[in-house]
Amino acid sequence: DGGITQSPKYLFRKEGQNVTLSCEQNLNHDAMYWYRQDPGQGLRLIYYSQIVNDFQKGDIAEGYSVSREKKESFPLTVTSAQKNPTAFYLCASSATSGDYNEQFFGPGTRLTVL
Amino acid sequence: KNEVEQSPQNLTAQEGEFITINCSYSVGISALHWLQQHPGGGIVSLFMLSSGKKKHGRLIATINIQEKHSSLHITASHPRDSAVYICAVRSGRDAGGTSYGKLTFGQGTILTVHP
């Protein structure tokens, strides 16, 4: 089955530690995205990538880093510089060839920094 | 003021009721999405529309581009419809002319349907 996987579903880390969230897709999509969701707020874009080896900052990129070495994978690192890392993180992907490319979302990772 | 506003923020209904969730936006868009997020957190796309109306089962989505407004209707609501419903708009193309899919999201509407 095609889809997006994120692991782990729940992640706990101590303050000051970097942590990497995994996102893999087998939909053959060129574009991938990372969003952050906080209670009572809409999803906010952290980083996105339209093609392998290229990525762009979203609206709230500070304290985060990404890589896109493979089409299928777009890992997100939450660094110690991120002031409020506890949140729900969602990865998504989409094609780029059409006019209205639907985004498909992964199940999310809930990160809690203690 | 947020670019995408949803109302109401919370909605409680009895099974069988007709439900309407509204979304207003302040930017020019190329498409609008309605998404459903269940308690586990995963998000499913319900509709993507740029004009008119779409229907899928008991769900109906409409959009009025001139008024910058969209509605999501659920007919004969059921407890399994309980979820967060999210409106998101695609604000056109990037500087390179590609529609890479950057979305701006509303804050979501929490729907609870009681049996």
Side-chain angles (χ1 to χ4, degrees), chain A residues 38-55:
Chain A
D38 294 283
Q41 293 191 44
L43 278 72
R44 292 180 290 167
L45 182 65
I46 304 172
Y47 267 98
Y48 66 96
S49 167
Q50 294 176 254
I51 199 166
V52 174
N53 293 323
D54 186 53
F55 49 83

Side-chain angles (χ1 to χ4, degrees), chain A residues 79-98:
Chain A
T79 75
S80 56
Q82 167 49 231
K83 291 185 172 53
N84 295 298
T86 294
F88 188 59
Y89 291 88
L90 281 154
C91 177
S93 71
S94 73
T96 55
S97 55

Side-chain angles (χ1 to χ4, degrees), chain A:
Chain A
D1 287 302
I4 302 175
T5 56
Q6 290 184 244
S7 61
K9 189 169 177 64
Y10 298 95
L11 189 55
F12 296 88
R13 279 295 181 269
K14 289 184 180 177
E15 194 172 343
Q17 289 182 334
N18 291 356
V19 60
T20 297
L21 282 59
S22 165
C23 177
E24 305 277 332
Q25 55 99 359
N26 61 3
L27 300 167
N28 200 34
H29 285 163
D30 284 313
M32 297 187 73
Y33 315 83
W34 273 107
Y35 295 97
R36 171 183 171 134
Q37 186 178 39
D38 294 283
Q41 293 191 44
L43 278 72
R44 292 180 290 167
L45 182 65
I46 304 172
Y47 267 98
Y48 66 96
S49 167
Q50 294 176 254
I51 199 166
V52 174
N53 293 323
D54 186 53
F55 49 83
Q56 307 294 330
K57 291 182 179 179
D59 300 320
I60 54 164
E62 186 175 348
Y64 299 98
S65 66
V66 293
S67 63
R68 186 84 187 277
E69 297 176 5
K70 297 188 299 182
K71 187 176 185 178
E72 302 80 17
S73 178
F74 191 39
L76 174 75
T77 297
V78 185
T79 75
S80 56
Q82 167 49 231
K83 291 185 172 53
N84 295 298
T86 294
F88 188 59
Y89 291 88
L90 281 154
C91 177
S93 71
S94 73
T96 55
S97 55
D99 282 336
Y100 306 112
N101 295 303
E102 182 180 357
Q103 286 192 22
F104 294 83
F105 289 84
T109 292
R110 191 166 300 278
L111 172 65
T112 302
V113 175
L114 306 170

Side-chain angles (χ1 to χ4, degrees), chain B residues 57-112:
Chain B
R58 295 180 294 107
L59 301 177
I60 303 167
T62 63
I63 188 169
N64 185 318
I65 295 293
Q66 286 74 27
E67 295 188 4
K68 295 187 175 175
H69 181 268
S70 175
S71 293
L72 176 68
H73 306 285
I74 304 176
T75 62
S77 60
H78 190 276
R80 65 174 174 266
D81 296 326
S82 297
V84 178
Y85 292 84
I86 301 170
C87 170
V89 300
R90 180 195 307 274
S91 52
R93 297 176 184 271
D94 65 7
T98 58
S99 60
Y100 65 84
K102 183 176 184 291
L103 298 175
T104 302
F105 296 81
Q107 76 275 36
T109 294
I110 302 171
L111 171 64
T112 305

Side-chain angles (χ1 to χ4, degrees), chain B residues 1-114:
Chain B
K1 190 179 188 312
N2 293 330
E3 291 181 339
V4 182
E5 292 276 355
Q6 287 184 236
S7 63
Q9 291 190 16
N10 287 279
L11 182 56
T12 301
Q14 289 297 125
E15 184 173 355
E17 286 184 359
F18 181 85
I19 287 163
T20 296
I21 299 170
N22 296 298
C23 175
S24 296
Y25 53 91
S26 57
V27 295
I29 70 167
S30 58
L32 182 142
H33 300 249
W34 280 103
L35 309 167
Q36 181 190 55
Q37 184 173 31
H38 276 284
I43 290 179
V44 174
S45 178
L46 298 174
F47 294 103
M48 182 172 60
L49 63 167
S50 57
S51 64
K53 176 179 171 178
K54 284 191 176 181
K55 185 175 188 293
H56 184 242
R58 295 180 294 107
L59 301 177
I60 303 167
T62 63
I63 188 169
N64 185 318
I65 295 293
Q66 286 74 27
E67 295 188 4
K68 295 187 175 175
H69 181 268
S70 175
S71 293
L72 176 68
H73 306 285
I74 304 176
T75 62
S77 60
H78 190 276
R80 65 174 174 266
D81 296 326
S82 297
V84 178
Y85 292 84
I86 301 170
C87 170
V89 300
R90 180 195 307 274
S91 52
R93 297 176 184 271
D94 65 7
T98 58
S99 60
Y100 65 84
K102 183 176 184 291
L103 298 175
T104 302
F105 296 81
Q107 76 275 36
T109 294
I110 302 171
L111 171 64
T112 305
V113 182
H114 293 294

